[in-house]
Amino acid sequence: MALTLAEAAKLETGDIVRRAVIEQYAASSGVLMVLPFTSISGNALRYSREETLPGIGFRGVNEAYPESTGILNPIVEALVIAGGDVDVDKFITCTMGPDQRSVQEMMKIKALALAWERTFFKGDSTANPRQFDGLQSRLTGAQKISAGAGAAGNPLSFNLLDSLIDQVKNPTHLFMNKTIRRLLTAAARNMNLSGFFTWTRDSFGRQVAQYNGLPIITVDHDNEDKAILGFDETSEGGAADTTSVYCVSLGDGALTGLQNGQIDVRDLGELQEKPALRTRVEWYSGIAIYHGRSAARLYGLNSQPLAA
């Protein structure tokens, strides 16, 4: 059974440090707060994705049924290695206290979470073979919906958003940047538009907007302070100043994360080449889309107010 990182942290009853690491990692990313992870053995997962169901017909007396089989496509998802080293000079720990290492380790964990979140959306193994492919690279065909052929993109509308949601089987969440989320909430207060908005709280007690019962997860900046879902994507009309909204179905048999073991934080001790203490943060992970309609992308959105 796939568990979110926050849920997995509750099971780490015998290791307080590891539990704190997992909670810090999950809290640093909106995606990692809600994405369930399946633990696997080995360095890859092989599975079959259902693409087409077999046909069903009707027959007369003494007639045979037409033969028909479904289509299953074999998929292999390889894990990638993400992490980094943190070196803290012994002078710092001696003069400012050993807690300085913990501060740097937590910063490294936060950076890893934000870099992983960017890869979840923007990862491209053709550009960087050390990454896994993100949703932008994976979603094609009917799962990639254009907002229109406007030269400078088009504004979001409730009709477009509903079309995006309808394209996902058993949708659970919406991902978007803060500007689009703000435009949505402003439209919900407009008497000339109609959209069903409610508010709830996530597992960390933070307020989360919902549209038609789907939590809206805002995607902010990565570890380099660059907008992950910024207005820098190319639209149908050729403009490079648009963004996307994603609808996903998270859970077993849908879209999940993959990992071999939990996030590993290791104290490597003092280095020989310099008087510094090294900590290594590392995680073997990836994602899997078990069903072809587990995610969809609405692209070509500009920052104008919602259209009717």
Side-chain angles (χ1 to χ4, degrees):
M1 179 180 177
L3 296 174
T4 64
L5 295 178
E7 291 169 340
K10 299 175 184 177
L11 303 178
E12 293 286 344
T13 56
D15 193 334
I16 297 175
V17 174
R18 182 177 293 275
R19 178 177 178 179
V21 167
I22 296 174
E23 289 179 338
Q24 171 69 20
Y25 192 66
S28 299
S29 162
V31 172
L32 292 173
M33 281 193 299
V34 297
L35 181 66
F37 278 83
T38 300
S39 293
I40 66 172
S41 58
N43 60 3
L45 174 69
R46 182 185 297 272
Y47 62 95
S48 294
R49 179 185 297 163
E50 177 187 293
E51 295 296 336
T52 305
L53 293 174
I56 296 295
F58 298 88
R59 72 176 183 88
V61 177
N62 294 325
E63 293 179 347
Y65 285 114
E67 190 279 333
S68 177
T69 58
I71 297 177
L72 294 173
N73 288 336
I75 305 292
V76 177
E77 297 287 1
L79 300 182
V80 301
I81 307 170
D85 293 339
V86 179
D87 294 346
V88 179
D89 196 291
K90 288 193 68 179
F91 175 80
I92 294 176
T93 59
C94 290
T95 59
M96 302 178 65
D99 289 346
Q100 292 300 313
R101 290 190 73 189
S102 298
V103 171
Q104 292 296 325
E105 289 163 2
M106 289 298 103
M107 291 175 63
K108 178 67 77 171
I109 290 168
K110 182 178 181 180
L112 175 58
L114 295 176
W116 199 96
E117 183 173 68
R118 167 171 283 278
T119 307
F120 177 80
F121 292 104
K122 302 289 188 176
D124 185 355
S125 61
T126 60
N128 184 352
R130 295 178 177 84
Q131 294 180 345
F132 58 84
D133 284 324
L135 295 184
Q136 182 170 314
S137 297
R138 292 169 182 253
L139 298 178
T140 59
Q143 303 311 111
K144 184 180 176 183
I145 303 170
S146 172
N154 289 280
L156 179 63
S157 68
F158 286 121
N159 184 57
L160 280 172
L161 189 58
D162 290 339
S163 297
L164 172 70
I165 294 171
D166 287 345
Q167 199 56 38
V168 177
K169 182 180 180 181
N170 301 321
T172 60
H173 295 81
L174 292 165
F175 294 123
M176 63 188 68
N177 65 32
K178 289 183 176 180
T179 299
I180 297 296
R181 195 278 311 274
R182 187 170 62 252
L183 293 173
L184 272 173
T185 54
R189 297 189 294 267
N190 188 338
M191 299 302 294
N192 296 320
L193 300 174
S194 60
F196 183 64
F197 267 81
T198 56
W199 294 87
T200 185
R201 293 191 179 276
D202 62 23
S203 57
F204 292 90
R206 292 175 289 201
Q207 196 174 48
V208 176
Q210 291 186 333
Y211 175 75
N212 283 353
L214 301 181
I216 297 174
I217 308 300
T218 55
V219 180
D220 203 355
H221 290 65
D222 64 10
N223 56 307
E224 297 179 350
D225 202 30
K226 298 177 181 178
I228 297 174
L229 295 181
F231 290 92
D232 56 2
E233 300 175 1
T234 302
S235 69
E236 193 77 15
D241 54 0
T242 62
T243 188
S244 298
V245 172
Y246 292 84
C247 181
V248 297
S249 175
L250 303 183
D252 293 319
L255 171 59
T256 69
L258 301 174
Q259 63 178 354
N260 185 326
Q262 300 283 1
I263 302 159
D264 188 22
V265 180
R266 301 194 303 275
D267 184 356
L268 302 184
E270 184 174 351
L271 302 176
Q272 291 186 347
E273 62 271 21
K274 61 181 179 180
L277 302 171
R278 172 167 292 179
T279 303
R280 178 163 295 160
V281 179
E282 201 164 50
W283 195 30
Y284 312 140
S285 60
I287 63 174
I289 300 180
Y290 292 100
H291 193 282
R293 291 183 57 198
S294 296
R297 174 191 174 206
L298 173 61
Y299 72 100
L301 299 171
N302 60 30
S303 58
Q304 297 301 310
L306 262 69

